[in-house]
Amino acid sequence: DVKVTQSSRYLVKRTGEKVFLECVQDMDHENMFWYRQDPGLGLRLIYFSYDVKMKEKGDIPEGYSVSREKKERFSLILESASTNQTSMYLCASSIDRNNQPQHFGDGTRLSIL
Amino acid sequence: AQRVTQPEKLLSVFKGAPVELKCNYSYSGSPELFWYVQYSRQRLQLLLRHISRESIKGFTADLNKGETSFHLKKPFAQEEDSAMYYCALDSGNTGKLIFGQGTTLQVKP
């Protein structure tokens, strides 16, 4: 069974801090994704990666960056956290680009004070 | 533009009643569509995908290209079906999914 692990379930940070959210998958998946989940807005794609050291912008990349130094790990970085980045963040992975389902982590509920 | 629309934020039914969660999509090519479900305090997980044409937990979904819809149906709702349901579109073999806004299904006893 695919395991996607997000390092924190809950995180509280202050405005202006640099925040790191970590995600690890154990199935050698090529693709990894970061979403934020907000009520009434569904899931919105922030960034994704098709391979190591590759990254592509999703629909709402502003204020975020990512890092994929190893195939199994995909990090989301909030360069200078702001209160409007308070949200649930979901990481996902999939085998490849060929219409494969995505497997999700438990999510990190991030609060920016 | 590629888009997925779930018109209902909340759908409330009684146990044993039929359920239909609506999903409409906008995409000119051949879409690949999924339904995902998130039960309370659990991770988002795949419920079903249209190419597999299978029934999962009694749910089915049929792709209607003429109406650009992929509605999720179950003939008799159970209380354990209460959850958030998301419809998603994978367009053009990109691996990216476009999600709808989600529908909360509430099954009352």
Side-chain angles (χ1 to χ4, degrees):
Chain A
D1 200 20
V2 178
K3 185 76 172 170
V4 179
T5 303
Q6 294 184 231
S7 54
S8 305
R9 288 299 301 272
Y10 301 94
L11 208 53
V12 180
K13 296 291 182 181
R14 296 204 173 273
T15 304
E17 280 192 71
K18 191 169 186 176
V19 181
F20 293 85
L21 303 183
E22 306 288 345
C23 175
V24 176
Q25 50 94 2
D26 66 354
M27 286 301 291
D28 203 36
H29 284 178
E30 291 183 4
N31 302 344
M32 296 189 76
F33 307 84
W34 275 106
Y35 297 89
R36 60 178 285 175
Q37 183 183 29
D38 299 289
L41 297 177
L43 273 71
R44 293 180 292 166
L45 183 63
I46 305 171
Y47 266 98
F48 61 104
S49 169
Y50 289 137
D51 203 348
V52 175
K53 296 194 185 297
M54 287 185 61
K55 61 182 180 183
E56 296 201 34
K57 292 180 180 179
D59 301 316
I60 52 165
E62 296 78 18
Y64 303 94
S65 63
V66 289
S67 172
R68 195 166 181 200
E69 295 296 318
K70 294 184 178 181
K71 192 173 185 179
E72 67 271 18
R73 185 180 297 270
F74 193 36
S75 304
L76 179 69
I77 304 155
L78 285 66
E79 297 291 343
S80 178
S82 63
T83 54
N84 63 11
Q85 292 177 310
T86 291
S87 186
M88 173 68 86
Y89 289 86
L90 300 183
C91 175
S93 71
S94 64
I95 296 172
D96 56 33
R97 302 191 203 193
N98 298 317
N99 298 323
Q100 296 296 326
Q102 293 183 12
H103 301 267
F104 287 83
D106 287 328
T108 296
R109 184 162 293 283
L110 176 63
S111 297
I112 306 296
L113 305 179
Chain B
Q2 297 152 7
R3 184 181 300 166
V4 175
T5 303
Q6 294 178 248
E8 302 140 330
K9 276 190 175 180
L10 172 66
L11 184 62
S12 187
V13 302
F14 285 101
K15 177 182 172 182
V19 169
E20 181 177 70
L21 296 158
K22 291 184 167 48
C23 172
N24 290 91
Y25 66 91
S26 173
Y27 179 59
S28 56
S30 239
E32 171 68 22
L33 286 151
F34 302 83
W35 276 99
Y36 283 82
V37 60
Q38 189 170 31
Y39 301 102
S40 179
R41 301 183 190 282
Q42 293 187 28
R43 63 181 61 191
L44 193 63
Q45 58 187 287
L46 178 69
L47 180 62
L48 55 80
R49 52 192 301 191
H50 93 268
I51 62 168
S52 60
R53 303 186 65 81
E54 56 188 343
S55 172
I56 305 292
K57 298 184 179 183
F59 284 97
T60 58
D62 290 318
L63 177 61
N64 185 323
K65 290 187 178 181
E67 295 183 359
T68 60
S69 68
F70 188 56
H71 302 328
L72 184 68
K73 300 178 183 179
K74 185 170 183 176
F76 307 103
Q78 303 298 316
E79 289 182 66
E80 55 265 30
D81 296 329
S82 295
M84 174 71 86
Y85 291 81
Y86 290 98
C87 182
L89 165 71
D90 181 344
S91 57
N93 293 332
T94 64
K96 290 193 318 179
L97 292 178
I98 300 168
F99 284 86
Q101 303 92 324
T103 299
T104 298
L105 174 63
Q106 184 183 75
V107 181
K108 296 178 285 189

